[in-house]
Amino acid sequence: YNAQKKQTGNYFSSKIWNFRMKCHLCDNWFEIETDPKNTEYVVKSGAKKKMKNGKEEKIRAQSNCLMQM
């Protein structure tokens, strides 16, 4: 992905990064942000996490496309 990367804060000495990307199947944008406290990514807008059996599996765009990471 050709993402726009922006530092949005700090958690102790770790930087918090925000990534804004365009879906490769459609023209929709989505944003994710690093969460160093919980060692995961947080979906900010344009997508949602797909959960399976209580565990996160993939991030999927909210549009009608079938984009999967």
Side-chain angles (χ1 to χ4, degrees):
Y1 285 95
N2 190 8
Q4 299 171 1
K5 178 179 164 182
K6 179 174 66 171
Q7 183 181 352
T8 57
N10 290 310
Y11 177 73
F12 293 106
S13 63
S14 299
K15 295 178 181 177
I16 298 173
W17 294 100
N18 182 289
F19 299 95
R20 185 171 188 256
M21 298 167 269
K22 195 171 196 177
C23 176
H24 68 282
L25 298 175
C26 64
D27 289 332
N28 293 326
W29 289 88
F30 61 98
E31 289 186 41
I32 60 174
E33 187 173 85
T34 58
D35 182 4
K37 180 179 180 182
N38 298 311
T39 61
E40 65 179 5
Y41 288 95
V42 177
V43 178
K44 290 299 199 179
S45 66
K48 62 181 178 179
K49 284 188 180 180
K50 180 179 177 184
M51 305 297 275
K52 184 174 184 179
N53 297 331
K55 295 182 179 179
E56 65 182 71
E57 191 175 79
K58 296 180 181 175
I59 297 173
R60 183 178 282 251
Q62 287 181 339
S63 68
N64 292 331
C65 74
L66 301 174
M67 188 216 87
Q68 295 181 2
M69 291 176 62

